Amino acid sequence: MSVGKAAAKPAALALGLAALLLAASPVPALARTPSAGPDPAALDAAFAARPGDPAAGAIARVAVGGQVWRGSAGDPVSGRPVAPNASFRIGSINKAFVATVVLQLAAEQRISLDGTVRQYLPGTLPETFTQPITVRQLLDHTSGLPQAVEGPEIDGRPVRTHDELIALRFERETLGQVVQRTLHPDDGHQVIPAFAPGTEQEYNSFNYRLAGRIIEQVTGHTIRQEVTARVLKPLGLRHTEVTEGRPAMPEPHLSGYFSNDAGTPVDVSEQGGNPESMISTPADLDRFLRALLDGELLPPQQLHDLLTLPRDASGRLLPVRGAGECAFGPDKGRACYSAGLMAIPLQDGTVVWGKTGHDLGYVDGFFATADASKRLVYSVGSNGSTPTPALRLAAVAFGPFAP
């Protein structure tokens, strides 16, 4: 299970930066354009603590025109400094890694994006799901599947207090357990589609639980083995790993805090997680995102699939479900999630691609222009929406968002 997901509804994962996402125009060309380096003074000022910012440590990395700025804010709870390249739990940023593996398998013709869940995972979907759901629809959140039922329980009920969640944060669920609880609940109630596949978009982590199961079924290997062999080792990401529920954090790491019922912040850095949970660093995530957009990891067709937003037969972006999702810009309420990434338009027409992530005690994000010439990675050791320092950094790194 992912304790971070138990702490917030899926729609909450799209707050802050994600709330500014909106449907982008067709994928821009990946021609590299010259850029001036980052403005260190402006980035320092944006990252500096202000009233109302989260009381937590933070790290960030901005790359512009081949030059890099690094920032770190000390942990005010423990009083310890934070290393600029400390490790942290990346939450749903892991979807970009899972999507990359699926797209690589598609390039190898071992998976068809238009193949169905029933084809790869026979017996998984209830009979109430009469319309086919494709792998592509899992990746771009247009499957119509129900939201994942996951997270710790006490005597068969979900946790209800912060104290309970903190105490049970080491619990771990397999992908099979999440699938069973979501699609075949113990109480026997009938699970039905939320909408017809391919007609709407709804951000849903359960799509990626099934995508992970398909990877395991097709390859005969775990998510950890496939991500490590296909992404981490080729790129030399020595500080990134799929933890498989191992609670220990490497040193140095950014401490993540979650307030107990009394309002006291508790260090929850050590925790369990689902089989896709990952730990990384700003430098490693920056390297991964650059390689992903530069085509080091995917052939041209699969890179196109990565940066394609779902549309209806007329070519219009699909409507999106969820309060605060894709709510700004010229296509308000229209799809903004692609295969593992999300799209943010800027005032100048540029599209920024990336992903936010939440784990218990962590709020993260990584974003880049499509040509990868401007990139941002951040993590703050606090729960909640995207923190204001990250929003300020994004505005300096990329320019103003589209209204």
Side-chain angles (χ1 to χ4, degrees):
M1 61 105 201
S2 174
V3 290
K5 303 304 181 295
K9 296 180 180 179
L13 302 179
L15 294 175
L17 263 179
L20 297 172
L21 299 180
L22 56 118
S25 55
V27 179
L30 299 184
R32 186 166 302 284
T33 55
S35 300
D39 183 337
L43 291 168
D44 287 344
F47 197 58
R50 300 181 189 179
D53 287 352
I59 47 178
R61 178 185 176 100
V62 174
V64 178
Q67 301 181 44
V68 175
W69 171 92
R70 303 170 183 85
S72 65
D75 180 345
V77 179
S78 68
R80 294 189 297 266
V82 177
N85 202 42
S87 296
F88 57 92
R89 297 187 180 275
I90 72 173
S92 285
I93 293 175
N94 64 12
K95 288 180 174 61
F97 288 86
V98 174
T100 298
V101 173
V102 172
L103 291 170
Q104 287 181 343
L105 290 168
E108 297 164 11
Q109 299 185 348
R110 299 174 68 184
I111 287 178
S112 169
L113 296 185
D114 297 318
T116 67
V117 172
R118 280 204 164 91
Q119 174 185 343
Y120 293 107
L121 300 174
T124 297
L125 295 178
E127 292 304 315
T128 49
F129 287 75
T130 58
Q131 298 186 50
I133 295 172
T134 67
V135 175
R136 190 188 308 275
Q137 289 165 348
L138 295 179
L139 296 183
D140 65 16
H141 301 285
T142 61
S143 67
L145 286 165
Q147 293 290 337
V149 180
E150 59 184 341
E153 292 185 336
I154 296 177
D155 297 329
R157 66 164 176 83
V159 297
R160 294 172 180 163
T161 69
H162 285 197
D163 285 349
E164 289 177 346
L165 184 56
I166 291 169
L168 295 174
R169 70 183 185 277
F170 297 104
E171 298 276 330
R172 180 187 176 197
E173 289 177 317
T174 67
L175 289 177
Q177 288 173 319
V178 174
V179 171
Q180 181 68 26
R181 290 171 61 184
T182 303
L183 296 178
H184 305 279
D186 290 340
D187 63 10
H189 79 266
Q190 193 175 61
V191 177
I192 62 175
F195 53 86
T199 62
E200 300 180 63
Q201 183 176 78
E202 181 178 38
Y203 183 84
N204 184 358
S205 291
F206 188 57
N207 291 312
Y208 277 76
R209 306 295 179 256
L210 287 187
R213 289 283 287 168
I214 290 173
I215 290 172
E216 294 180 338
Q217 184 71 20
V218 168
T219 66
H221 300 143
T222 65
I223 294 292
R224 175 188 173 93
Q225 290 171 323
E226 287 297 310
V227 169
T228 301
R230 292 174 173 274
V231 181
L232 306 188
K233 286 187 176 179
L235 296 183
L237 306 184
R238 297 183 298 107
H239 303 291
T240 303
E241 63 173 318
V242 181
T243 61
E244 291 189 327
R246 182 177 60 82
M249 288 288 287
E251 294 296 344
H253 69 265
L254 174 68
S255 293
Y257 292 95
F258 187 73
S259 294
N260 62 18
D261 290 343
T264 303
V266 176
D267 188 337
V268 293
S269 306
E270 294 192 346
Q271 55 186 264
N274 65 62
E276 300 163 352
S277 296
M278 296 181 67
I279 290 171
S280 190
T281 64
D284 272 13
L285 286 183
D286 180 67
R287 172 74 177 104
F288 167 61
L289 187 55
R290 177 164 56 89
L292 188 59
L293 296 174
D294 275 349
E296 289 186 53
L297 294 170
L298 298 173
Q301 178 57 54
Q302 283 67 44
L303 183 58
H304 175 80
D305 291 332
L306 176 79
L307 300 178
T308 296
L309 299 174
R311 298 173 182 269
D312 61 22
S314 70
R316 191 178 185 192
L317 292 163
L318 293 180
V320 67
R321 289 188 171 203
E325 297 279 12
C326 310
F328 292 83
D331 289 300
K332 292 179 178 65
R334 295 280 163 177
C336 60
Y337 294 99
S338 65
L341 299 178
M342 48 177 71
I344 304 175
L346 305 178
Q347 280 189 10
D348 65 3
T350 302
V351 177
V352 175
W353 294 89
K355 189 70 183 70
T356 56
H358 289 61
D359 268 325
L360 191 69
Y362 293 91
V363 183
D364 320 306
F366 74 162
F367 292 90
T369 52
D371 66 0
S373 62
K374 297 179 180 180
R375 305 182 302 277
L376 163 67
V377 182
Y378 66 84
S379 181
V380 178
S382 174
N383 261 68
S385 60
T386 302
T388 49
L391 294 171
R392 296 193 298 262
L393 284 176
V396 173
F398 301 123
F401 299 113

PDB file of all heavy atoms in Angstrom, residues 226-245:
ATOM      1  N   GLU A 226      12.581  -4.499 -13.456  1.00  0.00           N
ATOM      2  CA  GLU A 226      12.449  -3.881 -14.769  1.00  0.00           C
ATOM      3  C   GLU A 226      12.871  -2.416 -14.764  1.00  0.00           C
ATOM      4  O   GLU A 226      13.579  -1.961 -15.671  1.00  0.00           O
ATOM      5  CB  GLU A 226      11.004  -4.019 -15.261  1.00  0.00           C
ATOM      6  CG  GLU A 226      10.642  -5.430 -15.687  1.00  0.00           C
ATOM      7  CD  GLU A 226      11.464  -5.913 -16.873  1.00  0.00           C
ATOM      8  OE1 GLU A 226      11.551  -5.180 -17.881  1.00  0.00           O
ATOM      9  OE2 GLU A 226      12.030  -7.016 -16.797  1.00  0.00           O
ATOM     10  N   VAL A 227      12.454  -1.649 -13.755  1.00  0.00           N
ATOM     11  CA  VAL A 227      12.859  -0.246 -13.682  1.00  0.00           C
ATOM     12  C   VAL A 227      14.368  -0.133 -13.518  1.00  0.00           C
ATOM     13  O   VAL A 227      15.021   0.716 -14.144  1.00  0.00           O
ATOM     14  CB  VAL A 227      12.118   0.469 -12.525  1.00  0.00           C
ATOM     15  CG1 VAL A 227      12.720   1.848 -12.267  1.00  0.00           C
ATOM     16  CG2 VAL A 227      10.636   0.604 -12.839  1.00  0.00           C
ATOM     17  N   THR A 228      14.941  -0.993 -12.699  1.00  0.00           N
ATOM     18  CA  THR A 228      16.394  -0.956 -12.480  1.00  0.00           C
ATOM     19  C   THR A 228      17.156  -1.268 -13.754  1.00  0.00           C
ATOM     20  O   THR A 228      18.102  -0.545 -14.127  1.00  0.00           O
ATOM     21  CB  THR A 228      16.786  -1.944 -11.375  1.00  0.00           C
ATOM     22  OG1 THR A 228      16.109  -1.600 -10.161  1.00  0.00           O
ATOM     23  CG2 THR A 228      18.291  -1.913 -11.133  1.00  0.00           C
ATOM     24  N   ALA A 229      16.761  -2.323 -14.454  1.00  0.00           N
ATOM     25  CA  ALA A 229      17.487  -2.752 -15.650  1.00  0.00           C
ATOM     26  C   ALA A 229      17.287  -1.811 -16.830  1.00  0.00           C
ATOM     27  O   ALA A 229      18.217  -1.602 -17.622  1.00  0.00           O
ATOM     28  CB  ALA A 229      17.058  -4.167 -16.036  1.00  0.00           C
ATOM     29  N   ARG A 230      16.104  -1.240 -16.943  1.00  0.00           N
ATOM     30  CA  ARG A 230      15.771  -0.466 -18.135  1.00  0.00           C
ATOM     31  C   ARG A 230      16.034   1.033 -17.994  1.00  0.00           C
ATOM     32  O   ARG A 230      16.231   1.723 -18.991  1.00  0.00           O
ATOM     33  CB  ARG A 230      14.300  -0.684 -18.497  1.00  0.00           C
ATOM     34  CG  ARG A 230      13.975  -2.085 -18.983  1.00  0.00           C
ATOM     35  CD  ARG A 230      12.484  -2.267 -19.177  1.00  0.00           C
ATOM     36  NE  ARG A 230      12.186  -3.534 -19.784  1.00  0.00           N
ATOM     37  CZ  ARG A 230      12.173  -3.758 -21.108  1.00  0.00           C
ATOM     38  NH1 ARG A 230      12.430  -2.746 -21.932  1.00  0.00           N
ATOM     39  NH2 ARG A 230      11.898  -4.945 -21.606  1.00  0.00           N
ATOM     40  N   VAL A 231      16.012   1.531 -16.755  1.00  0.00           N
ATOM     41  CA  VAL A 231      16.134   2.981 -16.557  1.00  0.00           C
ATOM     42  C   VAL A 231      17.295   3.342 -15.636  1.00  0.00           C
ATOM     43  O   VAL A 231      18.176   4.127 -16.007  1.00  0.00           O
ATOM     44  CB  VAL A 231      14.818   3.571 -15.995  1.00  0.00           C
ATOM     45  CG1 VAL A 231      14.949   5.082 -15.813  1.00  0.00           C
ATOM     46  CG2 VAL A 231      13.636   3.244 -16.905  1.00  0.00           C
ATOM     47  N   LEU A 232      17.312   2.770 -14.449  1.00  0.00           N
ATOM     48  CA  LEU A 232      18.281   3.220 -13.450  1.00  0.00           C
ATOM     49  C   LEU A 232      19.715   2.910 -13.853  1.00  0.00           C
ATOM     50  O   LEU A 232      20.587   3.785 -13.804  1.00  0.00           O
ATOM     51  CB  LEU A 232      17.953   2.588 -12.091  1.00  0.00           C
ATOM     52  CG  LEU A 232      16.527   2.781 -11.573  1.00  0.00           C
ATOM     53  CD1 LEU A 232      16.411   2.274 -10.138  1.00  0.00           C
ATOM     54  CD2 LEU A 232      16.103   4.240 -11.674  1.00  0.00           C
ATOM     55  N   LYS A 233      19.996   1.676 -14.242  1.00  0.00           N
ATOM     56  CA  LYS A 233      21.370   1.318 -14.610  1.00  0.00           C
ATOM     57  C   LYS A 233      21.833   2.000 -15.890  1.00  0.00           C
ATOM     58  O   LYS A 233      22.949   2.547 -15.927  1.00  0.00           O
ATOM     59  CB  LYS A 233      21.497  -0.196 -14.704  1.00  0.00           C
ATOM     60  CG  LYS A 233      21.521  -0.889 -13.350  1.00  0.00           C
ATOM     61  CD  LYS A 233      21.829  -2.372 -13.469  1.00  0.00           C
ATOM     62  CE  LYS A 233      21.954  -3.020 -12.091  1.00  0.00           C
ATOM     63  NZ  LYS A 233      22.235  -4.480 -12.190  1.00  0.00           N
ATOM     64  N   PRO A 234      21.040   2.010 -16.969  1.00  0.00           N
ATOM     65  CA  PRO A 234      21.508   2.684 -18.182  1.00  0.00           C
ATOM     66  C   PRO A 234      21.817   4.172 -17.986  1.00  0.00           C
ATOM     67  O   PRO A 234      22.731   4.704 -18.616  1.00  0.00           O
ATOM     68  CB  PRO A 234      20.350   2.487 -19.165  1.00  0.00           C
ATOM     69  CG  PRO A 234      19.670   1.244 -18.707  1.00  0.00           C
ATOM     70  CD  PRO A 234      19.784   1.273 -17.213  1.00  0.00           C
ATOM     71  N   LEU A 235      21.077   4.828 -17.112  1.00  0.00           N
ATOM     72  CA  LEU A 235      21.294   6.261 -16.884  1.00  0.00           C
ATOM     73  C   LEU A 235      22.261   6.539 -15.739  1.00  0.00           C
ATOM     74  O   LEU A 235      22.583   7.695 -15.470  1.00  0.00           O
ATOM     75  CB  LEU A 235      19.954   6.959 -16.595  1.00  0.00           C
ATOM     76  CG  LEU A 235      18.924   6.970 -17.723  1.00  0.00           C
ATOM     77  CD1 LEU A 235      17.687   7.754 -17.301  1.00  0.00           C
ATOM     78  CD2 LEU A 235      19.504   7.539 -19.017  1.00  0.00           C
ATOM     79  N   GLY A 236      22.705   5.505 -15.049  1.00  0.00           N
ATOM     80  CA  GLY A 236      23.616   5.708 -13.923  1.00  0.00           C
ATOM     81  C   GLY A 236      22.968   6.389 -12.737  1.00  0.00           C
ATOM     82  O   GLY A 236      23.632   7.160 -12.021  1.00  0.00           O
ATOM     83  N   LEU A 237      21.695   6.082 -12.492  1.00  0.00           N
ATOM     84  CA  LEU A 237      20.971   6.702 -11.376  1.00  0.00           C
ATOM     85  C   LEU A 237      21.246   5.899 -10.106  1.00  0.00           C
ATOM     86  O   LEU A 237      20.428   5.102  -9.641  1.00  0.00           O
ATOM     87  CB  LEU A 237      19.470   6.762 -11.687  1.00  0.00           C
ATOM     88  CG  LEU A 237      19.090   7.451 -13.006  1.00  0.00           C
ATOM     89  CD1 LEU A 237      17.575   7.536 -13.149  1.00  0.00           C
ATOM     90  CD2 LEU A 237      19.719   8.838 -13.097  1.00  0.00           C
ATOM     91  N   ARG A 238      22.393   6.141  -9.511  1.00  0.00           N
ATOM     92  CA  ARG A 238      22.857   5.343  -8.374  1.00  0.00           C
ATOM     93  C   ARG A 238      22.114   5.645  -7.083  1.00  0.00           C
ATOM     94  O   ARG A 238      22.190   4.866  -6.128  1.00  0.00           O
ATOM     95  CB  ARG A 238      24.363   5.554  -8.170  1.00  0.00           C
ATOM     96  CG  ARG A 238      25.217   5.091  -9.340  1.00  0.00           C
ATOM     97  CD  ARG A 238      26.694   5.241  -9.076  1.00  0.00           C
ATOM     98  NE  ARG A 238      27.071   6.632  -8.871  1.00  0.00           N
ATOM     99  CZ  ARG A 238      27.392   7.170  -7.706  1.00  0.00           C
ATOM    100  NH1 ARG A 238      27.373   6.442  -6.607  1.00  0.00           N
ATOM    101  NH2 ARG A 238      27.741   8.449  -7.636  1.00  0.00           N
ATOM    102  N   HIS A 239      21.391   6.763  -7.040  1.00  0.00           N
ATOM    103  CA  HIS A 239      20.698   7.147  -5.807  1.00  0.00           C
ATOM    104  C   HIS A 239      19.176   7.016  -5.937  1.00  0.00           C
ATOM    105  O   HIS A 239      18.445   7.601  -5.146  1.00  0.00           O
ATOM    106  CB  HIS A 239      21.077   8.577  -5.427  1.00  0.00           C
ATOM    107  CG  HIS A 239      22.556   8.780  -5.265  1.00  0.00           C
ATOM    108  ND1 HIS A 239      23.276   8.217  -4.231  1.00  0.00           N
ATOM    109  CD2 HIS A 239      23.459   9.459  -6.037  1.00  0.00           C
ATOM    110  CE1 HIS A 239      24.550   8.546  -4.351  1.00  0.00           C
ATOM    111  NE2 HIS A 239      24.689   9.298  -5.434  1.00  0.00           N
ATOM    112  N   THR A 240      18.752   6.266  -6.927  1.00  0.00           N
ATOM    113  CA  THR A 240      17.328   6.025  -7.135  1.00  0.00           C
ATOM    114  C   THR A 240      17.057   4.542  -7.023  1.00  0.00           C
ATOM    115  O   THR A 240      17.825   3.727  -7.547  1.00  0.00           O
ATOM    116  CB  THR A 240      16.888   6.526  -8.526  1.00  0.00           C
ATOM    117  OG1 THR A 240      17.210   7.912  -8.638  1.00  0.00           O
ATOM    118  CG2 THR A 240      15.399   6.334  -8.732  1.00  0.00           C
ATOM    119  N   GLU A 241      15.967   4.182  -6.352  1.00  0.00           N
ATOM    120  CA  GLU A 241      15.630   2.764  -6.229  1.00  0.00           C
ATOM    121  C   GLU A 241      14.131   2.579  -6.024  1.00  0.00           C
ATOM    122  O   GLU A 241      13.430   3.470  -5.537  1.00  0.00           O
ATOM    123  CB  GLU A 241      16.377   2.123  -5.061  1.00  0.00           C
ATOM    124  CG  GLU A 241      16.037   2.696  -3.701  1.00  0.00           C
ATOM    125  CD  GLU A 241      16.680   1.913  -2.561  1.00  0.00           C
ATOM    126  OE1 GLU A 241      16.667   0.669  -2.625  1.00  0.00           O
ATOM    127  OE2 GLU A 241      17.185   2.551  -1.625  1.00  0.00           O
ATOM    128  N   VAL A 242      13.670   1.408  -6.452  1.00  0.00           N
ATOM    129  CA  VAL A 242      12.329   0.952  -6.114  1.00  0.00           C
ATOM    130  C   VAL A 242      12.473   0.187  -4.800  1.00  0.00           C
ATOM    131  O   VAL A 242      13.160  -0.820  -4.734  1.00  0.00           O
ATOM    132  CB  VAL A 242      11.752   0.044  -7.216  1.00  0.00           C
ATOM    133  CG1 VAL A 242      10.332  -0.394  -6.856  1.00  0.00           C
ATOM    134  CG2 VAL A 242      11.773   0.747  -8.563  1.00  0.00           C
ATOM    135  N   THR A 243      11.852   0.690  -3.746  1.00  0.00           N
ATOM    136  CA  THR A 243      12.178   0.204  -2.399  1.00  0.00           C
ATOM    137  C   THR A 243      11.526  -1.126  -2.053  1.00  0.00           C
ATOM    138  O   THR A 243      11.976  -1.806  -1.128  1.00  0.00           O
ATOM    139  CB  THR A 243      11.737   1.230  -1.343  1.00  0.00           C
ATOM    140  OG1 THR A 243      10.322   1.412  -1.418  1.00  0.00           O
ATOM    141  CG2 THR A 243      12.431   2.569  -1.582  1.00  0.00           C
ATOM    142  N   GLU A 244      10.428  -1.494  -2.760  1.00  0.00           N
ATOM    143  CA  GLU A 244       9.704  -2.734  -2.444  1.00  0.00           C
ATOM    144  C   GLU A 244       9.315  -2.805  -0.963  1.00  0.00           C
ATOM    145  O   GLU A 244       9.388  -3.857  -0.332  1.00  0.00           O
ATOM    146  CB  GLU A 244      10.511  -3.967  -2.849  1.00  0.00           C
ATOM    147  CG  GLU A 244      10.652  -4.132  -4.353  1.00  0.00           C
ATOM    148  CD  GLU A 244      11.258  -5.446  -4.767  1.00  0.00           C
ATOM    149  OE1 GLU A 244      12.118  -5.972  -4.010  1.00  0.00           O
ATOM    150  OE2 GLU A 244      10.892  -5.953  -5.844  1.00  0.00           O
ATOM    151  N   GLY A 245       8.941  -1.673  -0.408  1.00  0.00           N
ATOM    152  CA  GLY A 245       8.464  -1.647   0.965  1.00  0.00           C
ATOM    153  C   GLY A 245       9.539  -1.551   2.027  1.00  0.00           C
ATOM    154  O   GLY A 245       9.221  -1.487   3.220  1.00  0.00           O
TER     155      GLY A 245
END
